[in-house]
Amino acid sequence: MEEQKKKKILCVGLVCLDIINVVDKYPEEDTDSRCLSQRWQRGGNASNSCTVLSLLGAPCAFMGSLSAGPVAEFIVDDFSRCAVDISAVVWQVEGQTPCACCVVCPSSGSRTVVLSDMNLPDATANDFSKVDLCQLKWIHLEARNAEEQMKMIQQVELYNSTLSQEQRITVSVEIEKTREALYQLFAHGDVVFVSKDVARHFGFQSAQTALKGLYSRVKQGAVLVCAWAEKGADALGPDGLLVHSDAFPPENLVDTLGAGDTFNAAVIYKLANGGNLQDALTFGCRVAGMKCGFHGYDGIAKKFIDV
């Protein structure tokens, strides 16, 4: 059991540079305005989840693509600052490290993101085959290049088939984007996070109806999770019982950028450490709500003990 606790959680997906402008009101098109502050921050769903996992005290690692240059240097330095293992990063010779321009408006709670992510190849199943699975207890995949990610999961399934239940790697999948090619991953996660956007794309107007409507897509025994912003989050497991947690908004809304990635990471953290589904869902909502009360993520390390 102690040996299992030391094993890492690997997040597979995007890392990018976020250039974040904080404004008092969202700018009108074709006007000049000043921001309240600007900062560079390492971003990307899987990358953000790694940050949160590390701040919560979980040993974790990131796998994704980078291209050498000043942006990648900033990202690597920040991964190191957060004690995230990047030995599985794939250094691409083609393409550029993605960059996102983000406008955060505390007065409305909005965050608007424009991502330049056009020519850097994603990590492949062949890249994944070089990862030492013996060091991992959980793998979280941000759905992107689904065909390759399916092959990654097949490698994990083959590895798991040789192990006892308690030694097996748990696989979670986040399906955030409304792209048909990603939906095949519903059937391949032990835990599946489906976004509000995807749920609405399928015609559902609440987390509860989405879970009931989409649960037939997941594999037997899986857990399906859906967060719905200020309405909290719900989950449905193989016992057929809906689990709910209310949201925990901060006193002052400051920065919602990465709140979903924070929620996912906190749920994974609890489940990976033996928590039940209700505890994990509530913890996810508490940590995500708390994160919305300050800029960035560093405040999580100071406050999560009280959550």
Side-chain angles (χ1 to χ4, degrees):
M1 194 66 182
E2 278 305 311
E3 184 185 329
Q4 198 71 0
K5 280 185 179 177
K6 292 176 186 172
K7 290 186 176 181
K8 293 172 183 169
I9 298 169
L10 174 69
C11 297
V12 181
L14 176 69
V15 63
C16 64
L17 170 66
D18 285 349
I19 301 174
I20 300 166
N21 293 284
V22 180
V23 297
D24 57 356
K25 64 176 184 177
Y26 192 81
E28 291 180 34
E29 188 175 355
D30 203 25
T31 62
D32 293 340
S33 58
R34 292 194 176 194
C35 61
L36 301 174
S37 66
Q38 185 186 80
R39 69 185 189 274
W40 280 27
Q41 183 172 289
R42 174 171 49 81
N45 291 19
S47 162
N48 290 340
S49 289
C50 274
T51 300
V52 175
L53 284 164
S54 184
L55 289 168
L56 290 172
C60 64
F62 171 79
M63 182 179 191
S65 292
L66 280 174
S67 174
V71 170
E73 286 173 16
F74 171 84
I75 287 169
V76 167
D77 286 347
D78 196 65
F79 270 131
S80 177
R81 181 183 69 85
C82 293
V84 175
D85 177 353
I86 57 166
S87 57
V89 160
V90 182
W91 289 94
Q92 304 286 0
V93 293
E94 295 179 4
Q96 294 180 315
T97 300
C99 177
C101 294
C102 313
V103 179
V104 173
C105 185
S107 61
S108 67
S110 73
R111 88 302 173 274
T112 306
V113 181
V114 180
L115 175 67
S116 168
D117 177 24
M118 294 176 285
N119 61 355
L120 190 72
D122 280 309
T124 65
N126 185 52
D127 296 321
F128 185 80
S129 68
K130 297 163 190 166
V131 173
D132 183 4
L133 297 179
C134 299
Q135 294 184 25
L136 305 176
K137 64 178 175 181
W138 192 295
I139 297 173
H140 176 65
L141 297 109
E142 169 195 350
R144 289 179 61 80
N145 52 336
E147 293 293 339
E148 290 296 313
Q149 290 177 322
M150 293 269 287
K151 294 174 187 173
M152 295 178 193
I153 293 171
Q154 286 167 4
Q155 291 178 36
V156 178
E157 289 171 346
L158 185 62
Y159 172 79
N160 278 346
S161 68
T162 67
L163 300 171
S164 63
Q165 188 66 42
E166 60 271 13
Q167 290 179 310
R168 290 177 185 172
I169 297 170
T170 302
V171 174
S172 59
V173 176
E174 178 199 24
I175 303 173
E176 184 196 39
K177 302 289 190 293
T178 55
R179 294 208 301 269
E180 187 68 35
L182 304 181
Y183 301 151
Q184 60 188 306
L185 288 166
F186 268 109
H188 295 277
D190 301 303
V191 179
V192 179
F193 296 91
V194 60
S195 71
K196 180 180 174 182
D197 284 349
V198 170
R200 281 182 160 170
H201 177 74
F202 280 102
F204 301 109
Q205 297 305 314
S206 71
Q208 294 93 332
T209 56
L211 293 175
K212 289 174 182 175
L214 295 171
Y215 192 78
S216 61
R217 289 175 172 262
V218 304
K219 70 179 186 180
Q220 187 174 3
V223 171
L224 184 60
V225 181
C226 183
W228 209 272
E230 70 279 356
K231 294 192 177 172
D234 291 79
L236 184 60
D239 59 7
L241 298 175
L242 272 171
V243 177
H244 175 77
S245 172
D246 288 339
F248 296 86
E251 195 172 324
N252 296 304
L253 196 60
V254 174
D255 179 11
T256 60
L257 186 67
D261 308 328
T262 301
F263 170 80
N264 294 349
V267 170
I268 290 168
Y269 174 81
K270 270 292 182 195
L271 293 177
N273 285 286
N276 63 39
L277 188 54
Q278 181 66 71
D279 289 345
L281 205 64
T282 303
F283 187 68
C285 286
R286 282 189 181 275
V287 178
M290 183 182 63
K291 178 265 161 291
C292 293
F294 48 79
H295 291 291
Y297 303 96
D298 289 353
I300 290 170
K302 300 168 190 165
K303 296 184 181 182
F304 86 93
I305 294 168
D306 299 321
V307 171

